[in-house]
Amino acid sequence: QMLIQSMRFHYNQESYQQNTLLEVKNLSVQYPTKKSFLGKTLESFVALEPLSFCLRERESLGIIGESGSGKSSLAHALCRLLESNIVQGEMEFLGEKFFALKGKELRHFRKKIQIIFQDPFSSLNPKMNVFQILQEGLKAHKESHQTPQMIRAKIIQSLTDVGLEESYLERYPNELSGGQRQRISIARSLILRPKVLILDEPTSALDRATQNQILTLLLNLSKQYHLSYLCISHDLSVIASLCQNVLVLKEGKMLEYGVTKEVFKSPKHPYVQTLLKASEL
Ligand SMILES: Nc1ncnc2c1ncn2[C@@H]1O[C@H](COP(=O)(O)OP(=O)(O)OP(=O)(O)O)[C@@H](O)[C@H]1O
Ligand SMILES: [Mg+2]
C-alpha cells in the first residue's frame, strides 16, 4: 500500500512572494578539452550556454534534462566547485557578487549554499562515523571555536532534524541504509544553516517508498528552515512535488523556464513533451 501511495504527488504551488535570494545572469560553463604544453586552452567544450534565472527565498527550482545536458555543471558552477576560468557570468547571492568573493567572506557565504551529491555512499567518508562526518562540516567552516558541548548539541539537533536518533552517531556509512545515508548527507549540510541546498538527484538511488520519505523530509525542512532547493532530477514527480519553478536543459541550452505546473501541463518545446510522456505524468 505504501509503495502504491508513494506514486501519487501534488504540485508544490506554495508561493511566498519573497525577496530574490539568488540571481544568475548569463552563466555559462566551458571546459578546456585541449591545452598546449604551456597550459593555454586550445579547444574547449561548451557544457552550458549563457542562461539566466532567479531563485526567491523559500521557493525551489527544479532542473531537468537528459544525461549530459549540463545539469551537474550548472550545480557545480553555482557552488564554485569549478575553476573560475571555466565559468563565465554573474551570480548575485544574498546581495553579494558571489563569484567575486574571496577568503573569509567567501567562506561565510559558501556555508549558505550547500550541495548534496548524487550518490550518498561515495560522498560519505567510510572511515568516519556519523558523529565525525557531521562534525567535519563544522570544522571545515571554522566553527570549532565553540565548546564540545555546543558542537555535540548542534550535531544531535541536525540528526533529529532528519529523523534519526542519537544512537546513529556511532554508526559508519556501511552500517546505514541508502535512505539513512541520504539523511546523513542532508544533516551534514543542514548543520551549516544554508539558505540554498542544491540536490543532485537526491532520490535516484532509493526505492519509491524511501524516496517519498526523503521528499517529505525535504519539504518539511524547507518550511522549518526557510530553505530553497535547487533540485536536479530525472524524476518529474520529484520536481513537481518539491519545486514551484522548473528549468529544462538540453545540450547545454535552456529550453524552458517557468512555473512547474504550467510547463508540465503545456510544454512549449517538443523535447519537453517527450520527457513528460516518458514519465507518464
Ligand atoms: N571536466 C570536464 N571536462 C570536459 N567535459 C566535461 C567535464 N565535465 C563534464 N563535461 C561534459 O559536459 C557535459 C555536461 O555534463 P554534466 O555532468 O553537467 O551533465 P548532466 O546533465 O549532469 O548529466 P547526468 O544526468 O548524466 O549527470 C557532458 O557532455 C560532459 O561530458
Ligand atoms: Mg549530473
Side-chain angles (χ1 to χ4, degrees):
Q1 250 179 351
M2 217 163 107
L3 278 170
I4 293 167
Q5 248 179 17
S6 59
M7 293 299 289
R8 274 191 258 128
F9 70 93
H10 300 279
Y11 280 99
N12 181 354
Q13 295 185 83
E14 277 181 74
S15 167
Y16 299 99
Q17 299 301 327
Q18 299 274 327
N19 299 331
T20 299
L21 181 62
L22 188 155
E23 186 166 9
V24 166
K25 282 186 205 147
N26 298 317
L27 180 81
S28 64
V29 174
Q30 202 164 353
Y31 295 108
T33 46
K34 201 170 161 192
K35 285 186 178 179
S36 72
F37 69 93
L38 291 172
K40 199 167 163 264
T41 301
L42 298 175
E43 279 171 26
S44 52
F45 173 77
V46 180
L48 203 61
E49 295 193 16
L51 56 79
S52 306
F53 63 88
C54 79
L55 189 65
R56 277 199 298 259
E57 275 181 48
R58 304 176 70 179
E59 292 195 354
S60 296
L61 174 68
I63 298 167
I64 56 179
E66 63 198 356
S67 184
S69 58
K71 305 181 299 292
S72 295
S73 300
L74 172 60
H76 296 168
L78 296 180
C79 311
R80 285 187 58 169
L81 291 175
L82 300 178
E83 282 176 61
S84 53
N85 61 321
I86 293 175
V87 182
Q88 306 284 313
E90 280 182 33
M91 166 171 156
E92 201 163 304
F93 179 45
L94 293 163
E96 297 281 335
K97 297 241 178 292
F98 188 61
F99 292 158
L101 294 175
K102 287 192 189 110
K104 212 174 158 185
E105 265 199 321
L106 173 59
R107 271 205 304 278
H108 172 74
F109 282 95
R110 212 172 216 160
K111 275 200 296 197
K112 304 283 171 204
I113 181 162
Q114 291 286 313
I115 182 164
I116 292 178
F117 294 100
Q118 199 151 349
D119 173 5
F121 197 54
S122 60
S123 70
L124 299 176
N125 186 338
K127 295 201 178 101
M128 288 186 176
N129 66 23
V130 169
F131 183 86
Q132 291 163 326
I133 289 170
L134 298 179
Q135 188 185 32
E136 202 192 28
L138 288 174
K139 269 191 197 155
H141 287 277
K142 303 235 164 165
E143 295 217 3
S144 43
H145 59 276
Q146 301 174 68
T147 65
Q149 288 89 334
M150 282 160 80
I151 290 175
R152 196 177 166 86
K154 266 195 179 178
I155 288 173
I156 291 169
Q157 176 64 45
S158 71
L159 258 194
T160 319
D161 284 342
V162 297
L164 294 176
E165 293 154 20
E166 209 178 317
S167 59
Y168 282 88
L169 287 177
E170 318 297 326
R171 297 236 200 149
Y172 286 84
N174 69 320
E175 300 166 336
L176 299 168
S177 70
Q180 289 164 344
R181 268 179 232 143
Q182 197 56 301
R183 285 173 196 268
I184 298 298
S185 305
I186 296 169
R188 181 176 56 177
S189 298
L190 270 186
I191 204 166
L192 297 166
R193 293 284 165 269
K195 300 290 281 178
V196 179
L197 204 53
I198 300 182
L199 308 161
D200 197 344
E201 300 278 6
T203 56
S204 62
L206 309 171
D207 65 62
R208 267 284 169 189
T210 316
Q211 192 174 55
N212 223 41
Q213 289 167 7
I214 296 287
L215 271 182
T216 311
L217 173 72
L218 290 170
L219 275 171
N220 291 338
L221 288 172
S222 77
K223 291 202 180 101
Q224 189 182 349
Y225 289 116
H226 293 190
L227 264 176
S228 294
Y229 298 120
L230 223 128
C231 180
I232 298 173
S233 181
H234 62 263
D235 186 332
L236 301 192
S237 67
V238 169
I239 299 286
S241 47
L242 211 55
C243 306
Q244 292 90 344
N245 298 304
V246 69
L247 189 162
V248 185
L249 287 178
K250 187 175 197 282
E251 291 163 10
K253 287 185 205 62
M254 183 163 92
L255 291 189
E256 297 210 33
Y257 170 48
V259 174
T260 309
K261 196 172 179 183
E262 288 167 16
V263 172
F264 283 9
K265 289 259 152 92
S266 50
K268 289 188 203 79
H269 204 281
Y271 170 69
V272 186
Q273 291 163 4
T274 340
L275 264 186
L276 287 162
K277 264 200 204 114
S279 71
E280 295 166 0
L281 264 191

